[in-house]
């Protein structure tokens, strides 16, 4: 299973990459805006440079014009070899973006089909050629559905029919969501940076380490006392 960071914050990306726990980056226009990345091309170049050539970096198209989405996708893909183009499954008015996903995928461009809230959407996106299908865990739960069931069913279907598409669990709202998504069979968790320290730290772990350090210091004191009395 892979972990991506759901962020355009360069410092956070560099920090967690150096910790050895992130395999890729996902962004969307809201994340870019929140993290102060207004120039998409410059921001994408910088993130791709941080991540190196092999780790995927998802950058999302904007607007509702299907031909323009294809143009944006081609342009984004030309920026770096590890760019993955994010295409929403439908436009604001519900028009299908499957043709965009299919056209870009057939050109060899890696596509992340995004804003997926259901099993059926994921099935269609995989069928159209998407490399990643992003199921929005928090938003599925907002709609009153169980995101673990959706992820489990999509994973089962992908495996059963040997589709190459990989599930990204996005829209993470709480640390507990990560466990739910991972155990349900997501191939990738994309984690907002604020949750990574919460996954890592534990008050009782700190207490445990404190106890070990204290006993280690006491043992050294005993050696020093024994050495002093022997001389
Ligand atoms: C990631 O690929 C998604 O764009 C992101 O996780 C969506 O999160 P949100 O539902 O909190 O906007």
């Amino acid at each position: 299973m892979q972990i991506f960071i759901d962020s355009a914050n360069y410092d956070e990306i560099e920090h967690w990459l150096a910790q050895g726990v992130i395999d890729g980056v996902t962004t969307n226009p809201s994340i870019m805006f929140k993290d102060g990345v207004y120039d998409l091309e410059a921001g994408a170049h910088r993130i791709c440079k941080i991540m190196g050539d092999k780790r995927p970096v998802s950058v999302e198209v904007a607007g509702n014009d299907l031909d323009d989405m294809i143009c944006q996708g081609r342009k984004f893909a030309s920026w770096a070899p590890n760019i993955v183009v994010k295409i929403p499954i439908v436009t604001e008015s519900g028009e299908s973006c499957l043709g965009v996903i299919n056209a870009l995928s057939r050109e060899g461009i890696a596509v992340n089909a995004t804003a997926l809230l259901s099993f059926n959407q994921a099935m269609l996106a995989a069928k159209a050629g998407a490399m990643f299908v992003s199921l929005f865990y928090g938003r599925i739960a907002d709609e009153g559905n169980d995101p673990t069931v959706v992820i489990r069913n999509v994973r089962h279907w992908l495996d059963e029919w040997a589709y190459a598409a990989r599930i990204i669990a996005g829209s993470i709202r709480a640390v507990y969501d990560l466990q739910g998504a991972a155990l349900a069979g997501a191939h990738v968790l994309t984690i907002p940076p604020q949750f990574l320290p919460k996954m890592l730290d534990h008050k009782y772990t700190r207490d445990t380490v404190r106890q070990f350090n204290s006993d280690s210091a006491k043992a050294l004191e005993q050696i020093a006392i024994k050495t002093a009395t022997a001389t």
Side-chain angles (χ1 to χ4, degrees):
M1 202 202 71
Q2 292 190 309
I3 289 180
F4 292 176
I5 191 166
D6 205 17
S7 176
N9 181 310
Y10 310 127
D11 293 340
E12 293 281 8
I13 295 169
E14 277 175 347
H15 172 74
W16 292 106
L17 183 64
Q19 300 291 306
V21 293
I22 60 166
D23 306 294
V25 174
T26 51
T27 67
N28 63 37
S30 301
I31 288 171
M32 291 288 198
F33 183 71
K34 174 176 71 64
D35 289 336
V37 179
Y38 306 132
D39 180 335
L40 195 59
E41 182 170 356
H45 273 297
R46 187 153 167 195
I47 295 170
C48 288
K49 197 165 169 218
I50 294 169
M51 294 303 287
D53 276 357
K54 303 262 185 304
R55 299 182 189 88
V57 174
S58 286
V59 181
E60 186 159 347
V61 301
N64 294 295
D65 185 281
L66 303 180
D67 291 334
D68 187 53
M69 283 185 194
I70 294 177
C71 291
Q72 289 180 61
R74 286 180 184 141
K75 187 172 69 171
F76 296 177
S78 74
W79 291 341
N82 50 333
I83 290 274
V84 177
V85 177
K86 258 174 125 176
I87 307 288
I89 187 78
V90 291
T91 65
E92 280 177 42
S93 61
E95 192 176 2
S96 169
C97 297
L98 292 170
V100 177
I101 294 168
N102 189 242
L104 293 173
S105 299
R106 282 151 69 98
E107 290 177 22
I109 293 172
V111 173
N112 175 351
T114 193
L116 307 182
L117 298 173
S118 72
F119 174 87
N120 286 328
Q121 288 178 323
M123 194 163 55
L124 291 174
K127 186 84 193 151
M131 175 182 283
F132 293 105
V133 291
S134 283
L135 287 162
F136 277 22
Y137 198 98
R139 294 186 193 236
I140 291 171
D142 288 345
E143 288 293 297
N145 295 308
D146 183 344
T148 65
V149 172
V150 179
I151 290 173
R152 194 169 295 114
N153 288 345
V154 173
R155 178 63 189 264
H156 175 77
W157 182 84
L158 291 173
D159 289 350
E160 186 77 7
W161 294 97
Y163 276 88
R166 296 170 69 75
I167 299 167
I168 300 179
S171 187
I172 297 299
R173 302 275 171 77
V175 174
Y176 190 63
D177 295 349
L178 297 164
Q179 183 178 324
L183 296 179
H187 298 91
V188 182
L189 305 179
T190 189
I191 306 180
Q194 67 270 24
F195 295 126
L196 286 158
K198 291 183 180 175
M199 293 168 74
L200 173 69
D201 198 9
H202 197 293
K203 182 186 175 301
Y204 192 40
T205 304
R206 291 188 188 201
D207 291 346
T208 305
V209 173
R210 193 171 296 117
Q211 178 204 319
F212 292 162
N213 285 342
S214 163
D215 287 339
S216 168
K218 284 184 209 158
L220 290 174
E221 270 172 32
Q222 288 304 313
I223 291 172
I225 290 166
K226 282 197 176 110
T227 311
T229 50
T231 52

